Amino acid sequence: MYTRVETSVAVQQLANGLHDSGRDRPWVVVSSPFGTAVPEIGIDQLSSQIGDVARVFLIETGELTRQLGDLLPAQFQVYGSAGRSYPVGDAFAELSRSRLRFTHGDAQHATDQLVTDALAHAHQAGLFALAPASVITVDGTVKGFMLGGSRALVELDSGGMATVWQELTYPPVPLDWSLKPGQRVQGALDASTHRLNVENKPPTTAAISKRYPHGSITLALVQKVSAQRAVLALHPHLQLTITRADISANPLDKVDALLSEGDVVAARVIHLPSGALHLCLSDVDDDETVLPSLCAVRNGPPWLQENRPLLPLVEENEDASAVVELVGTPSPASTVVAAGVESAAAGHVALATAGPTADRLHPRPAPGPGRV
């Protein structure tokens, strides 16, 4: 199900909802091309794949999108056959969280991007932690990956198939860091969508202390860096903060010059007298034994490997891909200008989006630094 926005009153209601910080789920707004009410983006696909965790709206490009743009902060409008997912909370706090997805001649790609955006927003809002009546606990076996590794196909013991979505399984970690063919899994199945959630709670401090004795070495993912601190993850949902002194004895060194987000590093596990855990990188030698990292999903592979960093997702340049929004009947001159802009944008996008769709949607591992 989706909602058509066809009047000025409906536009005002849509804008009010987007501004509402108490909204309980993401809202996805899709616009049609100029001159037609029929969208290029797969509105029915959006409704079926995200309708349980997001509201979907369709608005015609023209006077209605102009009115909506006037009611939203600059650059957060929707028009010209594009779509946008607005997260819960302050939907306008950061433009990079709510990207405008243009079709650029590939409506399926834009639809897939919106599905990814909306599911990520729903995951961040904790909607998948809620258990509706349609969710049941099931067991199954991972059969393989599809859609460029963004989906894992699971054969259920009870019969039938289910899919694990990368957007819902420790994003932005690639699925094949957590799952492997033949792996036995247990998770929460939404029977209406056949989505299977296999995320596990992070291990307790006691469990990690038992797994990694005091002074042992394992791998950690660098999640955040600043001049004096870094946040390292032993598990996708278990972070520890370290300082410059834990990395280098040189007081002039800067953490963000020594580490980069996405690096996989060898770290010494320290058991503090308080019972808490700490990590240290400064005294790790290259010839020391590195214990395997934790498994993000039960029975899965160690989620981290040396020399396999998590590369950042490279997004298309939204400004360079702008589409001219025409309101009313275009003049011959404006048509020529629009055609020129679209032609230039098409040439730019052809270079920016070369390669498989999944490689544009999901960060992939590649060779890089291992130990510090």
Side-chain angles (χ1 to χ4, degrees):
M1 291 288 292
Y2 61 91
T3 302
R4 287 184 176 272
V5 180
E6 299 177 314
T7 66
S8 296
V9 173
V11 169
Q12 182 67 61
Q13 293 173 341
L14 173 58
N16 291 344
L18 294 175
H19 279 282
D20 182 5
S21 60
R23 187 160 37 84
D24 67 347
R25 62 194 54 227
W27 283 15
V28 178
V29 181
V30 173
S31 64
S32 65
F34 180 78
T36 177
V38 179
E40 292 181 343
I41 287 174
I43 195 80
D44 292 327
Q45 178 184 338
L46 291 177
S47 299
S48 64
Q49 292 190 349
I50 65 174
D52 58 326
V53 291
R55 285 196 65 183
V56 181
F57 298 84
L58 175 61
I59 187 170
E60 184 174 349
T61 293
E63 177 60 23
L64 294 179
T65 54
R66 185 195 64 76
Q67 292 177 15
L68 180 61
D70 290 343
L71 297 172
L72 301 179
Q75 296 186 292
F76 280 92
Q77 69 271 39
V78 178
Y79 59 89
S81 194
R84 192 191 300 269
S85 176
Y86 297 86
V88 301
D90 185 354
F92 311 111
E94 189 176 349
L95 186 61
S96 62
R97 293 183 61 216
S98 183
R99 293 186 175 274
L100 188 60
R101 302 302 189 179
F102 290 100
T103 55
H104 294 308
D106 189 348
Q108 186 59 56
H109 176 45
T111 304
D112 292 341
Q113 286 181 312
L114 284 175
V115 169
T116 294
D117 293 344
L119 289 178
H121 291 158
H123 187 274
Q124 293 162 6
L127 296 183
F128 293 98
L130 306 176
S134 60
V135 171
I136 56 176
T137 300
V138 297
D139 296 277
T141 302
V142 177
K143 304 304 291 184
F145 299 91
M146 55 185 182
L147 297 181
S150 66
R151 304 287 183 268
L153 194 63
V154 176
E155 184 177 30
L156 303 178
D157 291 355
S158 57
M161 308 296 289
T163 53
V164 180
W165 292 51
Q166 188 266 342
E167 299 92 334
L168 308 180
T169 313
Y170 309 117
V173 176
L175 268 185
D176 57 6
W177 287 25
S178 303
L179 301 173
K180 61 183 179 181
Q183 177 182 341
R184 294 286 297 166
V185 294
Q186 182 180 82
L189 175 70
D190 187 329
S192 62
T193 63
H194 294 280
R195 284 196 303 257
L196 181 63
N197 188 344
V198 295
E199 277 198 353
N200 295 329
K201 293 181 179 179
T204 63
T205 299
I208 295 178
S209 298
K210 183 177 180 180
R211 172 75 176 270
Y212 301 114
H214 176 71
S216 61
I217 298 172
T218 189
L219 299 175
L221 176 70
V222 181
Q223 290 192 328
K224 296 180 181 179
V225 293
S226 64
Q228 294 297 321
R229 289 179 172 79
V231 176
L232 306 185
L234 290 178
H235 178 277
H237 287 170
L238 181 63
Q239 295 81 29
L240 297 172
T241 299
I242 63 174
T243 65
R244 188 272 311 158
D246 298 310
I247 305 170
S248 169
N250 186 347
L252 299 180
D253 280 340
K254 302 296 184 183
V255 173
D256 51 8
L258 299 173
L259 299 176
S260 297
E261 293 180 5
D263 285 350
V264 174
V265 297
R268 192 177 303 281
V269 180
I270 306 298
H271 297 189
L272 299 178
S274 64
L277 296 175
H278 190 66
L279 298 177
C280 182
L281 279 61
S282 60
D283 63 346
V284 176
D285 295 327
D286 289 343
D287 58 353
E288 291 191 79
T289 300
V290 179
L291 299 178
S293 66
L294 296 167
C295 299
V297 176
R298 187 180 297 110
N299 302 322
W303 79 294
L304 297 176
Q305 294 181 15
E306 290 190 90
N307 300 315
R308 188 183 68 175
L310 181 63
L311 298 181
L313 176 63
V314 178
E315 292 282 359
E316 298 170 4
N317 188 324
E318 188 172 298
D319 294 334
S321 304
V323 173
V324 175
E325 180 179 9
L326 303 175
V327 179
T329 303
S331 66
S334 64
T335 302
V336 172
V337 172
V341 172
E342 290 176 352
S343 176
H348 176 83
V349 172
L351 294 175
T353 62
T357 297
D359 291 339
R360 303 200 301 269
L361 281 172
H362 306 283
R364 305 300 301 160
R371 303 191 190 187
V372 175

